Amino acid sequence: MTANGGPDLAVLEPYLEAHVEGFRGPIEIEKFAGGQSNPTFRIDAASGTYVLRRQPPGELLKSAHAVDREFRVMAALRDTAVPVPEVYHLCEDREVIGSMFYVMAFCDGRIFWDAAIPEVGRDDRSAIYDEMLRALANLHAVDVAAVGLGDYGKPGNYFARQYGRWSSQYRASELEPIQPMEELIAWLDGNIPDDDGRVTLVHGDFRLDNVVFANDAPRAVALLDWELSTLGHPFADLGYYCMQLRMPQDVGGMSGLRGKDLAALGIPDEKTCVARYCELAGVDHIDNFSFYVAFSFFRLAAIIQGVAKRAAEGNASSERAAELGKFVQPIAGLALEAI
């Protein structure tokens, strides 16, 4: 391990030279700030700049930190309308650097961490949020069978299955009882919508700071962080996208827009976002949209609880991880407010 928690360069450099076409050392490596799940590093090599994304060390929850799935989905989407980085190599041999990892292209561009996007003007702000909805509609329009992802998840009953998965993972990560989460889990259990037959590729963590935008235009050049992607229901992604509109400025490392003057900022409100998505995706209307928002808050709370559990066990990838547990209760409260 290097001083920043990265892989041993003496091992990594010859490995990449042997497995990534055109790769040449020497290399320098630097950990990206942000992100609580899979540690991600910038590699500056004689042959160019790359990104390495690895599983965290230590014992992992079942199906969590699926960097192999990230690699597969980005490779499959390479020639579609969905912007993704080019991926070069997946190493499933955990003995090389201590965990599974993959290497992809470094995408030069802008990442906006503040949901209010103060770096740009009102017109560009409106265009950026519209571009996100366009990218989302393009994602949900992908023919999964044609790109080789027909077996990427189980079709149908998405919310029932996701409820079971995240309830179980939350219980496995629970450090103490949290009453709003108990209320939310009970409500969701009784209000899961009937399966309507919609099955698309879903991103699972579709939010502003997971999109790289061009330096000179409000155009998405790369959609990142596919760890939670699967075959599922498209409204789950839309609910997650709209979640930021209801969140305070900083909850669990995510920037929200609660209390902001959206009209003045040029950012569409929830009703406008839903209508625009429906227009782009060819959907007539969405009933009971508050369920999808509440479900997104529930899943986010379960994920954060998992990060807090890893921090308690000394396996978190960020110094801030230990503080995240305090956000589970307010996030659950936001879900209850939505319903």
Side-chain angles (χ1 to χ4, degrees):
M1 299 285 283
T2 62
N4 63 4
D8 184 345
L9 301 190
V11 174
L12 182 64
E13 183 176 314
Y15 179 88
L16 294 181
E17 287 181 337
H19 292 87
V20 176
E21 184 177 357
F23 190 96
R24 289 183 295 106
I27 66 174
E28 294 181 354
I29 191 165
E30 179 183 1
K31 189 174 187 292
F32 283 105
Q36 308 296 340
S37 184
N38 294 318
T40 307
F41 302 85
R42 172 176 171 147
I43 297 176
D44 289 303
S47 53
T49 304
Y50 307 80
V51 173
L52 182 149
R53 190 158 159 88
R54 67 181 295 182
Q55 291 179 320
E59 186 177 349
L60 305 178
L61 292 173
K62 182 182 178 182
S63 76
H65 312 285
V67 296
D68 52 335
R69 288 177 63 83
E70 286 193 339
F71 182 90
R72 179 186 175 189
V73 72
M74 286 190 288
L77 292 174
R78 178 176 178 175
D79 296 322
T80 71
V82 182
V84 290
E86 184 175 1
V87 291
Y88 299 130
H89 178 69
L90 170 68
C91 177
E92 298 181 275
D93 181 359
R94 291 170 171 80
E95 297 301 316
V96 176
I97 66 168
S99 63
M100 191 190 308
F101 71 93
Y102 67 88
V103 177
M104 62 181 172
F106 172 77
C107 295
D108 187 31
R110 299 174 293 172
I111 295 179
F112 301 111
W113 297 98
D114 186 333
I117 322 181
E119 301 95 323
V120 304
R122 187 179 186 278
D123 289 347
D124 275 357
R125 212 173 282 127
S126 299
I128 285 168
Y129 273 93
D130 193 70
E131 175 73 354
M132 284 189 66
L133 289 169
R134 186 180 302 278
L136 189 61
N138 286 338
L139 170 63
H140 295 160
V142 168
D143 184 333
V144 292
V147 299
L149 294 175
D151 62 347
Y152 194 62
K154 297 178 181 178
N157 298 312
Y158 174 76
F159 289 105
R161 289 185 290 103
Q162 285 282 296
Y163 171 80
R165 172 189 175 182
W166 291 106
S167 295
S168 296
Q169 291 209 7
Y170 174 75
R171 294 302 182 198
S173 304
E174 197 171 14
L175 297 173
E176 62 182 2
I178 299 175
Q179 186 56 35
M181 275 297 284
E182 299 302 323
E183 294 176 25
L184 178 57
I185 288 170
W187 185 89
L188 290 170
D189 189 35
N191 288 275
I192 296 172
D194 293 334
D195 183 26
D196 63 4
R198 298 180 194 271
V199 178
T200 68
L201 181 62
V202 294
H203 180 270
D205 196 9
F206 190 81
R207 65 194 204 200
L208 180 66
D209 57 48
N210 277 334
V211 183
V212 180
F213 289 88
N215 286 314
D216 57 355
R219 174 175 51 84
V221 296
L223 182 52
L224 307 175
D225 201 352
W226 292 85
E227 179 191 347
L228 299 174
S229 61
T230 188
L231 298 186
H233 200 290
F235 299 167
D237 274 344
L238 183 61
Y240 198 88
Y241 168 90
C242 288
M243 190 171 61
Q244 283 193 289
L245 297 169
R246 296 172 177 260
M247 293 178 67
Q249 175 63 29
D250 183 7
V251 175
M254 284 182 65
S255 173
L257 291 162
R258 188 185 188 96
K260 301 283 188 181
D261 187 338
L262 298 182
L265 290 171
I267 296 173
D269 60 18
E270 184 173 288
K271 182 178 179 180
T272 304
C273 286
V274 173
R276 177 62 171 153
Y277 171 84
C278 288
E279 177 188 355
L280 291 167
V283 175
D284 289 337
H285 67 282
I286 300 176
D287 293 325
N288 302 318
F289 187 69
S290 59
F291 168 86
Y292 305 109
V293 175
F295 187 86
S296 296
F297 276 122
F298 158 70
R299 200 186 58 167
L300 176 62
I303 291 169
I304 288 177
Q305 186 63 56
V307 175
K309 177 69 177 294
R310 290 200 308 279
E313 295 173 344
N315 293 326
S317 67
S318 167
E319 294 179 0
R320 194 183 180 198
E323 305 174 12
L324 284 179
K326 68 182 182 182
F327 290 107
V328 174
Q329 180 166 329
I331 288 173
L334 290 169
L336 295 175
E337 178 183 276
I339 59 181

